[in-house]
Every structure is written in C-alpha cells, then in structure tokens.
C-alpha cells in the first residue's frame, strides 16, 4: 500500500516540511510498533494471561463489579491511574481496530497482527461484559477522586472500586455510541479469525447503538477527568459509519445521511470524532457511495485545517514542528492526526486524488509526509534530540507519570498508606524502577521543552489512546520507510 507515495516522501519533505538536525538518523519503526503494543499490555486490568510480556505487572482488580453483581473484571486502565473509564477505553479499542482493519498487511509484515488482535480482544471482552444488559451500560470502575489521592500500583490498590452506569433514566450517548463503534470496528477485524465472536460483537454493537440513539443525553459522571465538551452527535455519526462498514445494512447509511449532524474540525480525539468519521466515510465514498461526497470534502477540510502549508491552516505548531492543541497529554492529538493523515494519504493514492486547500493542492506524499514528521518528532527527531517513547531511541524518558511503573513490584500495600505513597514513590526525582516500555508520554510544551519528571503529568503521563492511534501509522512506516 502507498508505494508511490513512499517514493515521493523525500521530495515532499524537501518541499517545505521542517526537518530536525538529527533527522538523518534512521528510526526503527518496527521496534516502536512492537513496544507501542507492549505498553497497552502494561495497562491491562484483571487476570493476566500466561503470555503477559510485562514482567512487573500482575493480576489486579479481580473483584471489579461485585458491588453491582456483574463481572466487570478486565479492560484497561486509561493512563497513569487505576480507574477504568468507559469513553477513552472504547475509543482506544476503536482506533486499535481501525489499525487492524486498514493496515492488516503492514501489521502482518511486522509480525504484530496477532499481538494487536490480542490487545483488541482484551478490550472487547470487557466491553461485552459492560454491555451485557439491554439499555444498561457500566461505564466506570473505580473512584477517580479517591484513586488520585493514592499512589499505589494496581496490584496493591486499596481505593474503592465503585461502579457507574448509564441507563434509560441516566443516559450517556457519547459512551454508548463509542462502545458501539468499538464493537462494530472490532467485528471487522475478527470476521476472518473467529466468525462467531465477530457476530457477537456486531450484534452487541447494534443493540448498544440503538440504546445510544434512543435514550439521548450527555454523561458527566467522569468529570473533571473525562468531560465530553463536543456533545454526542459526533459519536453517533462515528458509530453509524462503523456499523455500516461492519454490517452493510442500508439503515446505517440512511442514518448517516438523514439523521446525523456533522462539522469540519481540526481535532480528532476521544472526545471529538467528526474528522475520524469523515475519513472513514471518504473510503466508502470512493468505493461507490457517491452521496457521501460532502463527508469527503469535510475530510479535505480537516487536512487543510491542520497541514502547516495550507492557506486554511488553523492549528498551532511548535517551533520544532509539532502539532500542539492544548497542554496535558498533547501527544494524543499528534498521534490521532498522524493516523488520519496516514489513512487519508492511502485513500488519496488509491483514487488518484489530491487535497485542494484554496489555491494549493497537496499530494498523497505531502499528506503522508506530515504524518511521518509528527511521528518522527515523538520518536526523537526534535530540538531536544530525545525520544518521547519510554524504552525507545535516544535518551528516552525515565520518569513516566504512572503508578505501576514508579512503585517497586515488591511493594506491599500494608507497608505504606495513601498519604505516604506520594512521599515514597511520587515526589522523588529518580528513574522509575519498572520500565513502561513503549509508552508515548504527554510530550513537550509549546516551546518544544520537555521535563522528565513524574510530578509534571502534562509532560510525562501516558494514555492508552495515544499509543492506540500510533499503531497503524507505525505499521505503515515500518513497511514502507523502515
């Protein structure tokens, strides 16, 4: 895929993209891909499998769901804490599944498809549990306020494992729709691997989407940790798009055309899905659904709003060339943009198209060059000449803002209370005792400065959805630019 775009990459870079002084040093994208998936394994909750590749992780939260009489063991911790948040977890699964669906040949070539399938299934097994009852969805396990008062590894945590749910009386359309998207997208990945499991995923996705659409309302129970500022219309469109691709049912195309609302944006994230839906629907448009042309034009609009050379450019770029939308885990917007640019560049090449931004046109090579440059920055081609991925490249970070990585594996929960846990393991300027291999941390500030201190979470906290969005791009880079 994208062979001719690959051959044009150097020309596109020379045509105006910022290139760091150490960009001549080759990056091992295959290694970065492998380690990116290993980080997701470090985020697993529940009973770990015999194939666990993170030696300092153990079983955790084995009684999740007991308070409500439902088995909620499993899933992923979202970041450096020990809470299972439904919205970012589902988005993590959706974007992993997109990588598995769109970049299967590249992942197979890198020898990582099976590991990605395992990572997706770890998420979908949990999402099936949380959606086991019609019109009821369990969307959070753990008390965020209490959890953030304690710095303990998940194996030893003593904070409450409270459960939040959405239902007909207290809806949460964003989370329900994103869960439906994750299940539908994952069903595509499993279609040729485990047909009964794929059928179960799709059937559940259809039910959860119906719940999301029929009982509309915004869920604010996770605030201030995951507040949905964009509303739920983007998730409904995103889920309907995945359901159409997974099921081919006309009802979802009708929904997209007649019931969904849309907007041209310059961000793709766990909160804002319009751009992702537009890129996804662009593929369907070029496959013959010509009534989707407006979505393809909006996908062009996203590219034009982000690409620095575009006359319609709206986003801030650091002096060193990194996309920066806001402080706090900014790398999430970098990898998510890179994913969309990477996929869209392939769609442009397949259909012999360019992106038109005012009086300028951009080829598939130029679109992909931006995605590559953003990933290269995170992997070490940047002004501070250091990798933002733990355990990878030059001078990688040592103090990820992460409980499991920063607390010794032999720490016993009875030894230290929550207050003292910060004294012993948080407020210390020493490397983490456990390497959080593959974690892409929050990244630098708007001036390209990076502070490797776990106390500075905006720089050093990892998130599952940062790595999930990186997987597809890294797989493509590993095959075509390795």
């Amino acid at each position: 895929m994208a062979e001719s775009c690959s051959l044009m990459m150097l020309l596109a870079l020379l045509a105006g993209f910022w290139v760091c002084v150490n960009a001549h040093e080759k990056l091992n994208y295959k290694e970065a891909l492998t380690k990116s998936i290993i980080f997701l394994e470090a985020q697993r909750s529940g009973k770990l499998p015999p194939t666990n590749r993170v030696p300092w992780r153990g079983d955790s939260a084995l009684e999740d769901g007991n308070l409500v009489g439902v088995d909620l063991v499993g899933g992923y911790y979202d970041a450096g804490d020990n809470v299972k948040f439904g919205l970012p977890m589902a988005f993590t699964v959706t974007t992993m599944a997109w990588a598995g669906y769109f970049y299967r040949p590249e992942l197979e070539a890198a020898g990582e498809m099976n590991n990605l399938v395992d990572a997706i299934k770890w998420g979908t097994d949990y999402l099936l549990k949380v959606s086991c009852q019609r019109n009821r969805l369990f969307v959070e396990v753990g008390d965020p306020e209490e959890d953030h008062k304690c710095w303990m590894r998940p194996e030893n945590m003593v904070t409450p494992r409270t459960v939040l749910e959405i239902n007909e009386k207290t809806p949460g359309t964003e989370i329900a729709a994103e869960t439906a998207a994750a299940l539908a997208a994952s069903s595509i990945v499993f279609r040729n691997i485990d047909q009964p499991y794929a059928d179960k995923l799709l059937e559940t996705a259809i039910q959860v989407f119906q719940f999301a659409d029929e009982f509309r309302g915004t869920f604010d129970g996770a605030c201030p940790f995951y507040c949905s500022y964009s509303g739920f219309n983007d998730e409904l469109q995103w889920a309907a798009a995945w359901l159409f691709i997974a099921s081919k049912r006309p009802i979802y195309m009708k929904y997209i055309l007649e019931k969904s609302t849309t907007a041209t944006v310059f961000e793709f994230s766990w909160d804002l899905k319009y751009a992702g839906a537009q890129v996804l629907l662009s593929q369907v448009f070029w496959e013959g659904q010509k009534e989707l042309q407006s979505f393809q034009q909006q996908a062009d609009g996203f590219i034009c709003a982000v690409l620095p050379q575009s006359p319609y450019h709206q986003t801030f770029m650091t002096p060193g060339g990194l996309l920066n939308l806001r402080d706090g885990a900014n790398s999430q917007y970098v990898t998510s943009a890179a994913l969309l640019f990477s996929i869209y560049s392939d769609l442009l090449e397949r259909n012999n198209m360019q992106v038109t931004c005012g009086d300028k046109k951009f080829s598939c090579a130029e679109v992909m060059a931006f995605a590559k440059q953003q990933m290269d920055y995170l992997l070490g081609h940047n002004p501070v000449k250091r990798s933002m991925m733990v355990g990878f490249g030059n001078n990688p970070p040592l103090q990820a803002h992460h409980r499991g990585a920063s607390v010794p594996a032999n720490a016993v929960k009875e030894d230290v209370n929550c207050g003292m846990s910060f004294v012993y393991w948080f407020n210390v300027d020493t490397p983490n005792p456990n390497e959080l291999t593959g974690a892409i941390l929050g990244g630098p500030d708007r001036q390209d400065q990076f502070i490797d201190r776990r106390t500075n979470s905006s720089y050093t906290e990892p998130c599952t959805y940062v790595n999930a969005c990186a997987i597809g791009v890294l797989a493509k880079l590993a095959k075509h630019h390795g």
Side-chain angles (χ1 to χ4, degrees):
M1 189 182 295
E3 292 290 351
S4 62
C5 277
S6 301
L7 295 174
M8 294 172 64
M9 283 292 295
L10 180 59
L11 293 177
L13 286 166
L14 294 176
F17 284 94
W18 176 88
V19 183
C20 183
V21 292
N22 63 335
H24 66 278
E25 299 175 6
K26 286 194 174 182
L27 294 167
N28 190 331
Y29 299 114
K30 185 176 181 297
E31 177 190 350
L33 170 63
T34 297
K35 290 183 173 180
S36 194
I37 297 174
I38 289 175
F39 162 70
L40 291 166
E41 294 179 16
Q43 295 301 104
R44 288 177 174 178
S45 178
K47 180 72 175 177
L48 300 186
T51 54
N52 170 45
R53 295 187 288 176
V54 186
W56 48 268
R57 278 302 323 277
D59 300 341
S60 63
L62 298 181
E63 297 182 356
D64 278 2
N66 283 1
L67 292 176
V68 291
V70 178
D71 176 12
L72 299 178
V73 175
Y76 288 99
Y77 302 115
D78 73 302
D81 52 32
N82 299 327
V83 183
K84 297 191 298 198
F85 292 100
L87 184 55
M89 191 194 306
F91 180 68
T92 294
V93 174
T94 310
T95 47
M96 283 196 293
W98 199 359
Y101 157 59
F102 198 84
Y103 285 119
R104 177 183 290 271
E106 288 81 357
L107 286 157
E108 290 176 342
E112 290 298 334
M113 187 63 197
N114 289 339
N115 287 325
L116 179 60
V117 168
D118 288 345
I120 295 169
K121 192 172 187 297
W122 194 267
T124 52
D125 282 351
Y126 178 77
L127 294 180
L128 288 173
K129 290 181 178 182
V130 304
S131 54
C132 63
Q133 301 177 28
R134 185 178 292 272
N135 295 345
R136 188 185 189 192
L137 198 67
F138 299 99
V139 297
E140 183 177 301
V141 182
D143 185 323
E145 295 289 349
E146 294 302 313
D147 179 84
H148 284 71
K149 296 176 183 177
C150 203
W151 194 263
M152 289 188 180
R153 60 198 296 265
E155 293 83 353
N156 294 342
M157 61 183 167
V158 295
T159 48
R161 302 301 289 171
T162 52
V163 178
L164 292 183
E165 68 173 82
I166 55 175
N167 49 49
E168 296 176 7
K169 294 182 179 179
T170 56
T173 301
E174 293 93 339
I175 304 179
E178 185 60 55
T179 301
L183 294 168
S186 299
S187 76
I188 303 171
V189 175
F190 283 97
R191 186 171 294 155
N192 296 321
I193 301 172
D194 185 341
Q195 185 66 51
Y197 189 70
D199 291 343
K200 184 176 183 180
L201 293 175
L202 182 56
E203 178 185 352
T204 307
I206 291 170
Q207 293 177 2
V208 175
F209 180 77
Q210 183 178 355
F211 166 54
D213 187 40
E214 183 175 352
F215 300 96
R216 295 191 178 195
T218 291
F219 173 75
D220 291 325
C223 280
F225 301 97
Y226 286 100
C227 311
S228 178
Y229 297 104
S230 66
F232 51 69
N233 288 314
D234 55 315
E235 277 86 10
L236 288 170
Q237 182 184 96
W238 171 243
W242 278 114
L243 280 162
F244 176 75
I245 293 174
S247 71
K248 304 301 181 186
R249 296 186 183 183
I251 187 174
Y252 297 112
M253 179 58 62
K254 181 179 175 66
Y255 186 96
I256 293 165
L257 294 172
E258 298 180 7
K259 295 186 66 177
S260 74
T261 60
T262 192
T264 301
V265 296
F266 55 79
E267 172 189 326
F268 177 52
S269 67
W270 60 263
D271 183 35
L272 188 58
K273 318 292 169 47
Y274 284 126
Q278 290 153 9
V279 169
L280 193 62
L281 292 172
S282 294
Q283 177 180 340
V284 183
F285 162 72
W286 277 314
E287 289 174 349
Q289 299 282 157
K290 297 306 179 184
E291 64 269 40
L292 295 174
Q293 185 172 16
S294 63
F295 294 96
Q296 182 271 315
Q297 292 170 340
Q298 288 178 318
D300 272 7
F302 169 77
I303 302 295
C304 293
V306 176
L307 199 61
Q309 288 71 34
S310 164
Y312 301 143
H313 172 69
Q314 296 181 47
T315 55
F316 179 83
M317 304 294 293
T318 71
L322 187 71
L323 176 68
N324 186 290
L325 296 190
R326 56 183 64 89
D327 294 331
N330 178 68
S331 60
Q332 67 179 294
Y333 309 111
V334 178
T335 61
S336 62
L339 175 63
L340 295 195
F341 270 66
S342 180
I343 291 173
Y344 204 62
S345 73
D346 287 336
L347 295 176
L348 291 170
E349 189 199 13
R350 288 181 191 175
N351 298 281
N352 194 28
M353 298 295 293
Q354 293 182 315
V355 176
T356 301
C357 305
D359 60 351
K360 291 188 176 183
K361 291 183 181 294
F362 298 97
S363 67
C364 62
E366 291 170 306
V367 172
M368 185 59 206
F370 178 77
K372 180 178 183 296
Q373 183 253 326
Q374 294 299 293
M375 294 305 301
D376 286 356
Y377 185 111
L378 293 177
L379 296 177
H381 289 177
N382 52 56
V384 294
K385 300 182 182 180
R386 68 180 305 174
S387 169
M388 302 295 159
M389 176 184 278
V390 176
F392 175 87
N394 182 60
N395 191 22
L398 301 175
Q399 292 193 34
H401 179 95
H402 188 275
R403 287 159 175 76
S406 59
V407 179
N410 60 1
V412 181
K413 64 182 179 182
E414 288 83 9
D415 289 345
V416 180
N417 60 34
C418 283
M420 291 302 294
S421 67
F422 287 89
V423 175
Y424 284 105
W425 302 313
F426 179 72
N427 293 311
V428 288
D429 187 11
T430 57
N432 288 339
N434 310 309
E435 182 183 274
L436 192 61
T437 305
I440 301 173
L441 304 192
D445 60 24
R446 292 168 71 91
Q447 298 303 316
D448 298 302
Q449 298 303 305
F450 178 75
I451 301 173
D452 186 16
R453 289 289 301 273
R454 77 179 58 83
T455 52
N456 291 310
S457 62
S458 64
Y459 296 96
T460 58
E461 187 163 18
C463 302
T464 55
Y465 38 92
V466 177
N467 278 61
C469 288
I471 290 171
V473 196
L474 289 173
K476 178 179 177 179
L477 291 172
K479 183 171 183 179
H480 299 293
H481 305 285

